Amino acid sequence: MIKILQYGEGNFLRTFVDVYFDTLNKSGLGEYAVSIVKPITFGTLERFEKQNNKYHIILRGMENGKSVENVYKVDSLEKVMDPFADYESYIALARDPELKMIVSNTTEAGICFNGEDKMDGFDGITYPAKLTKFLYERYSAGLGGVYLLPVELIDNNADELKKCVDKYMELWGLPEAFKTWNDEQNFYCNTLVDRIVSGYPRDEETKSHLTSLIGEVDELMSIGEPFGLWAVEKKRDIAKYIHEGVHNIEVVLTDNIGYYKKRKVRVLNGSHTNLVPAGLLLGAVTVYDCMVDEKLSAFVEETLKDEIIPYVSSDIAATTVFAGSVKDRFMNPFLNHQLISISLNSISKWRARVLPSFKDYYADHGEIAPKLTVGFSYLMALYSLIEKVGDRYEVKLKNRTVELKDDLPYLEYFASKKSVIDFMADESVWGEDLTAYAGFAEKVQENVELIKKGVVLI
Protein backbone atom coordinates (compact mmCIF):
# COMPACT_ATOMS: atom_id res chain seq x y z
CA MET A 1 0.00 0.00 0.00
CA ILE A 2 1.23 3.47 -0.95
CA LYS A 3 -0.37 6.06 1.32
CA ILE A 4 -0.76 9.75 0.56
CA LEU A 5 -1.56 12.49 3.05
CA GLN A 6 -3.50 15.30 1.41
CA TYR A 7 -3.95 18.72 3.00
CA GLY A 8 -7.18 20.03 1.50
CA GLU A 9 -10.55 18.50 0.62
CA GLY A 10 -11.56 20.99 -2.06
CA ASN A 11 -12.79 20.44 -5.59
CA PHE A 12 -9.45 20.90 -7.31
CA LEU A 13 -7.53 18.20 -5.48
CA ARG A 14 -10.44 15.78 -5.75
CA THR A 15 -10.80 16.44 -9.49
CA PHE A 16 -7.08 16.29 -10.16
CA VAL A 17 -4.84 14.44 -7.69
CA ASP A 18 -7.33 11.96 -6.24
CA VAL A 19 -8.70 10.85 -9.60
CA TYR A 20 -5.11 10.33 -10.76
CA PHE A 21 -4.36 7.93 -7.92
CA ASP A 22 -7.75 6.29 -8.43
CA THR A 23 -6.89 5.73 -12.10
CA LEU A 24 -3.56 4.15 -11.14
CA ASN A 25 -5.42 1.78 -8.80
CA LYS A 26 -7.89 0.75 -11.48
CA SER A 27 -5.14 0.37 -14.06
CA GLY A 28 -3.23 -2.05 -11.86
CA LEU A 29 -0.26 0.31 -11.53
CA GLY A 30 -0.23 0.31 -7.76
CA GLU A 31 -2.31 0.31 -4.62
CA TYR A 32 -2.84 3.87 -3.48
CA ALA A 33 -4.85 5.22 -0.56
CA VAL A 34 -5.40 8.92 0.11
CA SER A 35 -6.05 10.33 3.57
CA ILE A 36 -7.50 13.82 3.39
CA VAL A 37 -6.92 16.26 6.23
CA LYS A 38 -9.05 19.36 6.54
CA PRO A 39 -6.44 22.15 6.88
CA ILE A 40 -8.70 24.81 8.46
CA THR A 41 -11.55 24.77 10.97
CA PHE A 42 -14.08 26.14 8.47
CA GLY A 43 -16.50 23.66 6.91
CA THR A 44 -17.62 20.14 7.78
CA LEU A 45 -16.92 16.66 6.44
CA GLU A 46 -20.53 15.46 6.63
CA ARG A 47 -20.82 14.86 2.89
CA PHE A 48 -17.79 12.57 2.94
CA GLU A 49 -19.18 10.61 5.88
CA LYS A 50 -22.58 10.35 4.22
CA GLN A 51 -21.09 8.99 0.98
CA ASN A 52 -18.44 6.77 2.60
CA ASN A 53 -15.72 8.92 0.94
CA LYS A 54 -16.92 8.02 -2.56
CA TYR A 55 -17.75 10.59 -5.22
CA HIS A 56 -17.80 11.24 -8.97
CA ILE A 57 -16.06 13.69 -11.23
CA ILE A 58 -17.44 14.68 -14.62
CA LEU A 59 -15.00 15.87 -17.28
CA ARG A 60 -16.90 18.02 -19.75
CA GLY A 61 -15.38 19.61 -22.81
CA MET A 62 -14.12 19.14 -26.33
CA GLU A 63 -12.13 16.15 -27.56
CA ASN A 64 -11.26 15.75 -31.23
CA GLY A 65 -13.84 18.38 -32.14
CA LYS A 66 -16.67 16.68 -30.27
CA SER A 67 -18.24 17.55 -26.93
CA VAL A 68 -17.83 14.90 -24.23
CA GLU A 69 -19.13 14.29 -20.72
CA ASN A 70 -17.13 11.52 -19.10
CA VAL A 71 -18.03 10.27 -15.61
CA TYR A 72 -15.48 8.74 -13.23
CA LYS A 73 -16.27 7.24 -9.84
CA VAL A 74 -13.43 7.90 -7.40
CA ASP A 75 -12.67 5.32 -4.69
CA SER A 76 -9.14 6.33 -3.71
CA LEU A 77 -10.04 8.11 -0.45
CA GLU A 78 -9.31 5.89 2.55
CA LYS A 79 -9.91 8.48 5.27
CA VAL A 80 -11.13 12.05 5.51
CA MET A 81 -10.17 13.59 8.84
CA ASP A 82 -10.76 16.69 10.90
CA PRO A 83 -7.51 17.13 12.86
CA PHE A 84 -9.09 19.83 15.00
CA ALA A 85 -11.57 17.27 16.34
CA ASP A 86 -9.43 14.10 16.13
CA TYR A 87 -5.78 15.06 16.38
CA GLU A 88 -4.59 11.59 17.35
CA SER A 89 -5.88 9.93 14.16
CA TYR A 90 -4.17 12.64 12.15
CA ILE A 91 -0.83 12.37 13.90
CA ALA A 92 -0.96 8.56 13.68
CA LEU A 93 -0.38 9.00 9.94
CA ALA A 94 3.02 10.50 10.73
CA ARG A 95 3.94 7.18 12.35
CA ASP A 96 2.67 5.07 9.44
CA PRO A 97 5.55 3.41 7.53
CA GLU A 98 3.37 3.16 4.41
CA LEU A 99 3.04 6.94 4.09
CA LYS A 100 5.10 7.96 1.06
CA MET A 101 3.75 11.31 -0.17
CA ILE A 102 2.24 14.53 1.12
CA VAL A 103 0.18 16.65 -1.27
CA SER A 104 -1.20 20.08 -0.41
CA ASN A 105 -3.37 22.82 -1.83
CA THR A 106 -3.73 25.51 0.81
CA THR A 107 -4.06 28.41 -1.69
CA GLU A 108 -1.22 30.68 -2.79
CA ALA A 109 -1.26 32.37 0.64
CA GLY A 110 -1.00 29.04 2.47
CA ILE A 111 2.75 28.60 2.11
CA CYS A 112 3.98 31.26 4.49
CA PHE A 113 5.83 31.76 7.77
CA ASN A 114 4.47 33.40 10.91
CA GLY A 115 6.95 34.07 13.68
CA GLU A 116 4.12 34.09 16.23
CA ASP A 117 3.20 30.43 15.64
CA LYS A 118 3.79 28.14 18.62
CA MET A 119 4.78 24.50 18.38
CA ASP A 120 2.15 23.55 20.97
CA GLY A 121 -0.55 25.16 18.85
CA PHE A 122 -2.51 23.80 15.89
CA ASP A 123 -5.67 25.81 15.29
CA GLY A 124 -4.58 29.09 13.72
CA ILE A 125 -1.00 28.21 12.81
CA THR A 126 0.13 28.08 9.19
CA TYR A 127 0.21 24.98 7.01
CA PRO A 128 4.05 24.87 7.03
CA ALA A 129 3.94 25.04 10.83
CA LYS A 130 1.49 22.11 10.95
CA LEU A 131 3.71 20.23 8.49
CA THR A 132 6.82 20.83 10.60
CA LYS A 133 5.06 19.34 13.63
CA PHE A 134 3.89 16.38 11.54
CA LEU A 135 7.38 15.70 10.17
CA TYR A 136 8.87 15.96 13.66
CA GLU A 137 6.48 13.22 14.82
CA ARG A 138 7.65 11.04 11.93
CA TYR A 139 11.29 11.71 12.70
CA SER A 140 10.72 10.95 16.39
CA ALA A 141 9.15 7.62 15.41
CA GLY A 142 12.40 6.65 13.66
CA LEU A 143 10.84 6.49 10.20
CA GLY A 144 12.19 7.55 6.81
CA GLY A 145 11.14 10.63 4.94
CA VAL A 146 8.46 11.29 2.35
CA TYR A 147 7.98 13.07 -0.98
CA LEU A 148 6.28 16.44 -0.65
CA LEU A 149 4.29 17.62 -3.68
CA PRO A 150 2.61 20.98 -3.04
CA VAL A 151 0.35 22.14 -5.86
CA GLU A 152 -0.12 25.71 -4.65
CA LEU A 153 0.20 28.12 -7.57
CA ILE A 154 3.39 29.91 -6.59
CA ASP A 155 6.82 29.76 -8.18
CA ASN A 156 9.02 26.97 -6.81
CA ASN A 157 6.25 25.89 -4.47
CA ALA A 158 8.18 23.04 -2.84
CA ASP A 159 11.33 25.13 -2.37
CA GLU A 160 9.25 27.83 -0.69
CA LEU A 161 7.56 25.24 1.51
CA LYS A 162 10.91 23.86 2.67
CA LYS A 163 12.16 27.36 3.44
CA CYS A 164 9.19 27.83 5.75
CA VAL A 165 9.74 24.45 7.44
CA ASP A 166 13.41 25.35 7.99
CA LYS A 167 12.35 28.63 9.62
CA TYR A 168 9.99 26.84 12.01
CA MET A 169 12.76 24.44 13.00
CA GLU A 170 14.90 27.44 13.87
CA LEU A 171 12.05 29.32 15.59
CA TRP A 172 11.17 26.34 17.77
CA GLY A 173 14.75 25.28 18.49
CA LEU A 174 14.30 21.77 17.11
CA PRO A 175 17.28 19.35 17.11
CA GLU A 176 20.00 19.56 14.48
CA ALA A 177 19.50 15.83 13.84
CA PHE A 178 15.90 16.56 12.81
CA LYS A 179 17.10 19.26 10.42
CA THR A 180 19.58 16.81 8.89
CA TRP A 181 16.83 14.18 8.56
CA ASN A 182 14.59 16.69 6.80
CA ASP A 183 17.40 17.75 4.44
CA GLU A 184 18.46 14.23 3.56
CA GLN A 185 15.34 12.07 3.74
CA ASN A 186 12.45 14.31 2.69
CA PHE A 187 12.22 15.28 -0.98
CA TYR A 188 10.46 18.55 -1.73
CA CYS A 189 9.38 18.35 -5.39
CA ASN A 190 8.29 21.52 -7.17
CA THR A 191 5.17 20.95 -9.23
CA LEU A 192 2.92 22.63 -11.75
CA VAL A 193 -0.74 21.69 -12.17
CA ASP A 194 -3.11 22.55 -14.99
CA ARG A 195 -6.78 21.67 -15.13
CA ILE A 196 -9.75 24.02 -14.98
CA VAL A 197 -12.16 22.80 -12.31
CA SER A 198 -15.54 24.47 -11.87
CA GLY A 199 -16.59 22.16 -9.04
CA TYR A 200 -20.12 21.39 -7.94
CA PRO A 201 -22.79 22.48 -10.47
CA ARG A 202 -24.28 25.86 -9.63
CA ASP A 203 -27.61 25.61 -11.42
CA GLU A 204 -30.39 23.09 -10.91
CA GLU A 205 -30.62 22.14 -14.58
CA THR A 206 -26.96 21.09 -14.76
CA LYS A 207 -27.15 19.36 -11.39
CA SER A 208 -30.21 17.37 -12.48
CA HIS A 209 -28.57 16.44 -15.78
CA LEU A 210 -25.36 15.26 -14.14
CA THR A 211 -27.21 13.37 -11.41
CA SER A 212 -29.01 11.49 -14.16
CA LEU A 213 -25.69 10.87 -15.91
CA ILE A 214 -24.10 9.53 -12.72
CA GLY A 215 -27.14 7.48 -11.78
CA GLU A 216 -27.33 8.62 -8.17
CA VAL A 217 -27.34 11.74 -6.01
CA ASP A 218 -23.78 12.86 -5.31
CA GLU A 219 -23.25 15.91 -3.10
CA LEU A 220 -19.50 15.75 -3.78
CA MET A 221 -19.59 15.58 -7.57
CA SER A 222 -17.19 17.95 -9.25
CA ILE A 223 -16.90 19.21 -12.84
CA GLY A 224 -13.58 19.63 -14.60
CA GLU A 225 -12.25 19.85 -18.14
CA PRO A 226 -10.77 16.81 -19.91
CA PHE A 227 -7.32 18.41 -20.13
CA GLY A 228 -5.03 17.78 -17.19
CA LEU A 229 -1.27 18.18 -16.72
CA TRP A 230 0.84 17.53 -13.63
CA ALA A 231 4.52 18.35 -14.03
CA VAL A 232 6.55 17.05 -11.08
CA GLU A 233 10.20 17.72 -10.34
CA LYS A 234 12.16 14.49 -10.60
CA LYS A 235 13.90 13.70 -7.31
CA ARG A 236 15.36 10.50 -5.87
CA ASP A 237 12.95 7.58 -6.44
CA ILE A 238 9.78 9.59 -7.12
CA ALA A 239 9.21 7.50 -10.27
CA LYS A 240 8.38 4.54 -7.99
CA TYR A 241 5.27 6.36 -6.84
CA ILE A 242 4.36 8.86 -9.56
CA HIS A 243 3.80 7.21 -12.95
CA GLU A 244 4.36 9.23 -16.09
CA GLY A 245 1.94 9.18 -19.00
CA VAL A 246 -1.78 9.84 -19.29
CA HIS A 247 -3.72 8.45 -16.32
CA ASN A 248 -6.78 10.70 -16.51
CA ILE A 249 -4.29 13.56 -16.30
CA GLU A 250 -0.97 13.67 -18.10
CA VAL A 251 1.95 13.37 -15.70
CA VAL A 252 5.49 14.46 -16.55
CA LEU A 253 8.55 13.94 -14.35
CA THR A 254 11.06 16.60 -15.27
CA ASP A 255 14.23 18.40 -14.26
CA ASN A 256 12.84 21.58 -15.83
CA ILE A 257 9.64 22.65 -14.09
CA GLY A 258 10.42 26.20 -15.21
CA TYR A 259 9.58 25.41 -18.84
CA TYR A 260 6.11 24.08 -17.97
CA LYS A 261 5.46 27.01 -15.66
CA LYS A 262 6.53 29.54 -18.30
CA ARG A 263 4.47 27.81 -20.98
CA LYS A 264 1.30 27.77 -18.88
CA VAL A 265 1.67 31.30 -17.55
CA ARG A 266 2.39 32.89 -20.91
CA VAL A 267 0.20 30.83 -23.24
CA LEU A 268 -2.85 29.97 -21.12
CA ASN A 269 -2.90 32.62 -18.40
CA GLY A 270 -1.37 35.33 -20.57
CA SER A 271 -3.97 34.79 -23.28
CA HIS A 272 -6.75 35.00 -20.70
CA THR A 273 -5.40 38.23 -19.22
CA ASN A 274 -4.85 39.85 -22.62
CA LEU A 275 -8.34 38.87 -23.82
CA VAL A 276 -10.60 39.60 -20.84
CA PRO A 277 -10.77 43.43 -20.87
CA ALA A 278 -11.47 43.49 -24.61
CA GLY A 279 -14.08 40.75 -24.22
CA LEU A 280 -15.85 42.60 -21.43
CA LEU A 281 -15.90 45.92 -23.27
CA LEU A 282 -17.17 44.26 -26.44
CA GLY A 283 -20.07 42.58 -24.65
CA ALA A 284 -18.84 39.02 -24.06
CA VAL A 285 -19.67 37.29 -20.77
CA THR A 286 -17.62 34.09 -20.92
CA VAL A 287 -14.40 32.89 -22.56
CA TYR A 288 -16.56 30.72 -24.82
CA ASP A 289 -18.43 33.86 -25.99
CA CYS A 290 -15.09 35.33 -27.01
CA MET A 291 -14.01 32.25 -28.92
CA VAL A 292 -17.20 32.10 -31.00
CA ASP A 293 -16.82 35.81 -31.84
CA GLU A 294 -14.85 36.09 -35.08
CA LYS A 295 -12.86 39.19 -34.09
CA LEU A 296 -12.05 38.16 -30.52
CA SER A 297 -11.11 34.65 -31.59
CA ALA A 298 -8.76 36.00 -34.27
CA PHE A 299 -7.28 38.37 -31.69
CA VAL A 300 -6.39 35.41 -29.44
CA GLU A 301 -5.02 33.38 -32.35
CA GLU A 302 -2.86 36.15 -33.79
CA THR A 303 -1.50 37.29 -30.42
CA LEU A 304 -0.45 33.75 -29.58
CA LYS A 305 1.16 33.15 -32.96
CA ASP A 306 3.07 36.40 -33.29
CA GLU A 307 3.73 37.73 -29.80
CA ILE A 308 3.61 34.89 -27.24
CA ILE A 309 4.59 31.51 -28.70
CA PRO A 310 7.94 32.65 -30.20
CA TYR A 311 9.19 33.67 -26.74
CA VAL A 312 8.30 30.62 -24.62
CA SER A 313 11.12 28.30 -25.74
CA SER A 314 13.21 27.41 -28.77
CA ASP A 315 10.84 24.49 -29.44
CA ILE A 316 8.22 26.51 -31.31
CA ALA A 317 6.47 23.37 -32.55
CA ALA A 318 5.88 21.98 -29.04
CA THR A 319 4.58 25.31 -27.76
CA THR A 320 2.31 25.61 -30.80
CA VAL A 321 0.80 22.20 -30.03
CA PHE A 322 0.17 23.30 -26.43
CA ALA A 323 -1.37 26.55 -27.67
CA GLY A 324 -3.71 24.49 -29.85
CA SER A 325 -4.89 22.60 -26.78
CA VAL A 326 -5.41 25.91 -24.99
CA LYS A 327 -7.66 27.19 -27.77
CA ASP A 328 -9.68 23.95 -27.58
CA ARG A 329 -10.04 24.52 -23.84
CA PHE A 330 -11.20 28.08 -24.39
CA MET A 331 -13.86 26.66 -26.71
CA ASN A 332 -15.27 24.41 -23.97
CA PRO A 333 -18.99 25.30 -23.83
CA PHE A 334 -19.48 23.59 -20.48
CA LEU A 335 -17.03 25.52 -18.33
CA ASN A 336 -19.01 28.78 -18.20
CA HIS A 337 -15.71 30.53 -17.47
CA GLN A 338 -16.82 34.05 -16.56
CA LEU A 339 -14.66 36.89 -17.84
CA ILE A 340 -15.40 38.92 -14.73
CA SER A 341 -14.05 36.08 -12.57
CA ILE A 342 -10.82 35.96 -14.57
CA SER A 343 -10.55 39.76 -14.25
CA LEU A 344 -9.80 39.50 -10.51
CA ASN A 345 -6.52 41.30 -9.75
CA SER A 346 -5.93 42.08 -13.43
CA ILE A 347 -3.13 44.56 -12.77
CA SER A 348 -0.82 42.11 -11.02
CA LYS A 349 -1.86 39.39 -13.47
CA TRP A 350 -0.82 41.54 -16.44
CA ARG A 351 2.56 42.17 -14.82
CA ALA A 352 3.16 38.44 -14.16
CA ARG A 353 1.54 36.90 -17.23
CA VAL A 354 1.80 39.36 -20.13
CA LEU A 355 4.62 41.81 -19.42
CA PRO A 356 7.36 39.14 -19.88
CA SER A 357 6.10 38.36 -23.41
CA PHE A 358 5.79 42.09 -24.14
CA LYS A 359 9.40 42.64 -23.02
CA ASP A 360 10.74 39.74 -25.06
CA TYR A 361 8.97 41.00 -28.19
CA TYR A 362 10.34 44.51 -27.61
CA ALA A 363 13.87 43.18 -27.15
CA ASP A 364 13.56 41.13 -30.34
CA HIS A 365 11.92 43.75 -32.57
CA GLY A 366 12.91 47.06 -31.01
CA GLU A 367 9.26 48.12 -30.90
CA ILE A 368 6.15 47.46 -28.86
CA ALA A 369 4.10 44.32 -29.46
CA PRO A 370 0.99 45.59 -31.33
CA LYS A 371 -1.62 43.11 -30.11
CA LEU A 372 -0.38 42.97 -26.53
CA THR A 373 -0.49 46.76 -26.61
CA VAL A 374 -4.12 46.63 -27.74
CA GLY A 375 -4.91 44.19 -24.92
CA PHE A 376 -3.23 46.49 -22.39
CA SER A 377 -5.10 49.47 -23.83
CA TYR A 378 -8.41 47.69 -23.25
CA LEU A 379 -7.28 46.97 -19.67
CA MET A 380 -6.52 50.64 -19.05
CA ALA A 381 -9.78 51.68 -20.73
CA LEU A 382 -11.74 49.27 -18.54
CA TYR A 383 -10.15 50.57 -15.34
CA SER A 384 -10.60 54.18 -16.49
CA LEU A 385 -14.35 53.57 -16.43
CA ILE A 386 -14.40 52.61 -12.73
CA GLU A 387 -16.95 54.37 -10.57
CA LYS A 388 -17.12 53.94 -6.80
CA VAL A 389 -20.63 52.96 -5.73
CA GLY A 390 -20.76 52.50 -1.98
CA ASP A 391 -18.07 49.93 -1.23
CA ARG A 392 -18.07 48.58 -4.78
CA TYR A 393 -16.00 49.59 -7.78
CA GLU A 394 -18.21 49.25 -10.82
CA VAL A 395 -17.91 49.60 -14.57
CA LYS A 396 -20.93 50.16 -16.81
CA LEU A 397 -20.51 48.00 -19.89
CA LYS A 398 -22.74 48.21 -22.94
CA ASN A 399 -24.80 45.20 -21.81
CA ARG A 400 -24.46 45.18 -18.01
CA THR A 401 -22.74 46.64 -14.98
CA VAL A 402 -19.91 44.63 -13.40
CA GLU A 403 -17.89 44.93 -10.21
CA LEU A 404 -14.11 44.98 -10.63
CA LYS A 405 -12.00 43.51 -7.84
CA ASP A 406 -8.33 44.37 -7.46
CA ASP A 407 -5.94 45.84 -4.91
CA LEU A 408 -7.73 48.76 -3.28
CA PRO A 409 -5.10 51.41 -4.13
CA TYR A 410 -5.47 50.61 -7.85
CA LEU A 411 -9.26 50.78 -7.71
CA GLU A 412 -9.15 54.06 -5.77
CA TYR A 413 -6.64 55.50 -8.24
CA PHE A 414 -8.85 54.94 -11.25
CA ALA A 415 -12.07 55.84 -9.43
CA SER A 416 -10.42 59.20 -8.75
CA LYS A 417 -9.97 59.60 -12.53
CA LYS A 418 -6.22 59.95 -12.35
CA SER A 419 -3.84 59.68 -15.30
CA VAL A 420 -3.37 56.38 -17.13
CA ILE A 421 0.13 57.46 -18.14
CA ASP A 422 1.17 58.22 -14.55
CA PHE A 423 -0.13 54.79 -13.54
CA MET A 424 1.94 53.18 -16.31
CA ALA A 425 5.02 54.98 -15.02
CA ASP A 426 4.59 53.76 -11.43
CA GLU A 427 7.42 51.30 -10.75
CA SER A 428 5.75 50.09 -7.53
CA VAL A 429 2.90 48.72 -9.67
CA TRP A 430 4.81 47.18 -12.58
CA GLY A 431 8.33 46.73 -11.23
CA GLU A 432 9.50 49.22 -13.85
CA ASP A 433 8.40 52.33 -15.72
CA LEU A 434 6.28 51.13 -18.64
CA THR A 435 6.48 54.52 -20.33
CA ALA A 436 10.18 53.82 -20.95
CA TYR A 437 9.20 51.57 -23.86
CA ALA A 438 9.33 53.83 -26.90
CA GLY A 439 5.88 54.68 -28.21
CA PHE A 440 4.01 52.61 -25.61
CA ALA A 441 2.51 55.42 -23.53
CA GLU A 442 1.46 57.42 -26.59
CA LYS A 443 -0.16 54.42 -28.25
CA VAL A 444 -2.01 53.38 -25.11
CA GLN A 445 -3.30 56.90 -24.54
CA GLU A 446 -4.49 57.10 -28.14
CA ASN A 447 -6.12 53.66 -27.94
CA VAL A 448 -7.91 54.38 -24.66
CA GLU A 449 -9.50 57.49 -26.13
CA LEU A 450 -10.66 55.54 -29.20
CA ILE A 451 -12.08 52.71 -27.07
CA LYS A 452 -14.04 55.21 -24.96
CA LYS A 453 -15.55 56.56 -28.21
CA GLY A 454 -16.68 53.07 -29.15
CA VAL A 455 -14.01 52.30 -31.73
CA VAL A 456 -13.22 48.59 -31.94
CA LEU A 457 -9.46 48.04 -32.10
CA ILE A 458 -9.37 44.33 -32.90
Side-chain angles (χ1 to χ4, degrees):
M1 179 75 72
I2 300 169
K3 294 188 177 180
I4 302 103
L5 170 61
Q6 176 175 302
Y7 284 91
E9 77 280 17
N11 290 319
F12 182 80
L13 285 177
R14 291 192 295 105
T15 314
F16 189 85
V17 170
D18 298 336
V19 74
Y20 166 69
F21 289 121
D22 187 76
T23 303
L24 294 181
N25 284 341
K26 290 169 180 173
S27 302
L29 292 173
E31 188 178 357
Y32 294 83
V34 179
S35 292
I36 288 180
V37 171
K38 187 161 72 80
I40 57 176
T41 55
F42 178 78
T44 73
L45 300 176
E46 290 179 5
R47 294 174 300 165
F48 291 92
E49 295 166 3
K50 181 178 177 181
Q51 298 184 188
N52 195 28
N53 299 335
K54 315 293 184 187
Y55 66 96
H56 300 79
I57 70 164
I58 306 93
L59 302 184
R60 312 174 84 199
M62 305 299 292
E63 287 185 343
N64 301 317
K66 296 181 180 179
S67 63
V68 296
E69 293 180 286
N70 296 323
V71 176
Y72 300 87
K73 184 177 182 181
V74 180
D75 305 301
S76 57
L77 304 188
E78 182 180 45
K79 300 175 184 175
V80 181
M81 295 177 291
D82 181 350
F84 306 97
D86 185 5
Y87 186 76
E88 284 306 313
S89 292
Y90 159 68
I91 214 66
L93 283 169
R95 308 184 190 110
D96 190 334
E98 293 184 304
L99 180 69
K100 299 299 180 185
M101 289 177 278
I102 297 177
V103 179
S104 65
N105 187 24
T106 57
T107 78
E108 290 90 323
I111 296 180
C112 62
F113 173 78
N114 182 355
E116 301 300 315
D117 286 345
K118 308 296 183 185
M119 191 174 180
D120 60 359
F122 191 77
D123 183 5
I125 66 175
T126 68
Y127 161 57
K130 293 183 176 76
L131 176 63
T132 305
K133 292 182 60 173
F134 185 90
L135 293 174
Y136 189 63
E137 288 284 346
R138 189 168 182 83
Y139 159 79
S140 300
L143 295 172
V146 296
Y147 291 88
L148 296 105
L149 287 75
V151 305
E152 287 85 351
L153 295 175
I154 60 173
D155 288 339
N156 304 313
N157 45 21
D159 293 342
E160 293 303 314
L161 179 59
K162 186 176 186 300
K163 287 178 185 177
C164 292
V165 171
D166 288 342
K167 287 181 181 178
Y168 281 112
M169 290 181 183
E170 183 178 351
L171 177 69
W172 296 337
L174 298 177
E176 283 295 328
F178 173 48
K179 297 179 184 179
T180 301
W181 176 86
N182 185 52
D183 288 341
E184 295 180 353
Q185 296 199 40
N186 291 316
F187 299 95
Y188 292 77
C189 302
N190 294 308
T191 74
L192 180 134
V193 295
D194 192 0
R195 168 171 275 173
I196 297 171
V197 172
S198 55
Y200 191 78
R202 299 177 184 178
D203 63 279
E204 288 300 321
E205 182 180 353
T206 302
K207 183 166 69 173
S208 176
H209 167 68
L210 296 181
T211 298
S212 175
L213 205 61
I214 291 169
E216 60 183 281
V217 173
D218 184 351
E219 296 178 7
L220 290 168
M221 69 168 136
S222 179
I223 303 168
E225 63 172 337
F227 181 91
L229 173 68
W230 194 6
V232 179
E233 188 177 18
K234 188 188 299 182
K235 288 192 174 180
R236 194 62 180 269
D237 296 327
I238 187 68
K240 287 184 178 179
Y241 309 110
I242 297 293
H243 293 272
E244 289 192 280
V246 178
H247 307 286
N248 193 286
I249 58 176
E250 180 182 1
V251 173
V252 177
L253 297 177
T254 179
D255 295 320
N256 186 12
I257 283 286
Y259 162 70
Y260 292 95
K261 172 77 173 180
K262 183 178 181 181
R263 187 179 74 171
K264 177 178 183 287
V265 167
R266 294 205 184 190
V267 176
L268 174 65
N269 304 127
S271 292
H272 266 159
T273 299
N274 194 58
L275 168 68
V276 164
L280 286 170
L281 287 168
L282 294 178
V285 176
T286 67
V287 174
Y288 179 77
D289 293 340
C290 295
M291 296 307 292
V292 295
D293 179 276
E294 186 176 343
K295 289 183 178 180
L296 287 168
S297 178
F299 180 59
V300 172
E301 178 93 28
E302 292 164 6
T303 306
L304 277 168
K305 179 177 177 291
D306 299 333
E307 301 176 20
I308 296 177
I309 290 174
Y311 306 104
V312 173
S313 81
S314 58
D315 192 342
I316 301 294
T319 307
T320 300
V321 170
F322 177 72
S325 73
V326 165
K327 287 179 284 185
D328 287 344
R329 296 164 72 187
F330 286 3
M331 282 292 294
N332 189 337
F334 297 114
L335 282 178
N336 193 30
H337 209 170
Q338 300 282 313
L339 297 178
I340 196 61
S341 297
I342 303 170
S343 74
L344 176 68
N345 296 329
S346 283
I347 300 300
S348 60
K349 283 179 177 176
W350 195 90
R351 174 179 172 177
R353 300 172 172 187
V354 184
L355 180 57
S357 295
F358 179 92
K359 292 171 68 172
D360 284 348
Y361 184 97
Y362 189 89
D364 192 29
H365 292 267
E367 60 186 24
I368 57 176
K371 296 175 184 65
L372 293 179
T373 298
V374 168
F376 184 79
S377 300
Y378 271 102
L379 176 63
M380 291 296 97
L382 182 70
Y383 273 58
S384 296
L385 296 173
I386 288 175
E387 300 286 346
K388 188 174 183 181
V389 181
D391 294 330
R392 292 163 55 94
Y393 293 85
E394 296 182 345
V395 170
K396 289 184 179 179
L397 304 174
K398 66 180 185 180
N399 57 342
R400 59 191 173 126
T401 297
V402 297
E403 179 185 8
L404 291 187
K405 295 182 179 180
D406 209 319
D407 291 341
L408 187 59
Y410 305 157
L411 297 172
E412 289 281 4
Y413 182 95
F414 284 101
S416 300
K417 305 305 176 186
K418 293 181 179 178
S419 163
V420 166
I421 303 305
D422 288 347
F423 189 73
M424 291 175 63
D426 191 337
E427 294 185 20
S428 69
V429 176
W430 309 107
E432 60 183 288
D433 179 356
L434 296 185
T435 65
Y437 294 96
F440 192 37
E442 295 81 1
K443 192 63 178 176
V444 170
Q445 189 166 41
E446 175 189 338
N447 286 346
V448 168
E449 292 304 317
L450 291 171
I451 292 166
K452 286 182 176 180
K453 293 176 182 177
V455 177
V456 177
L457 300 183
I458 61 173

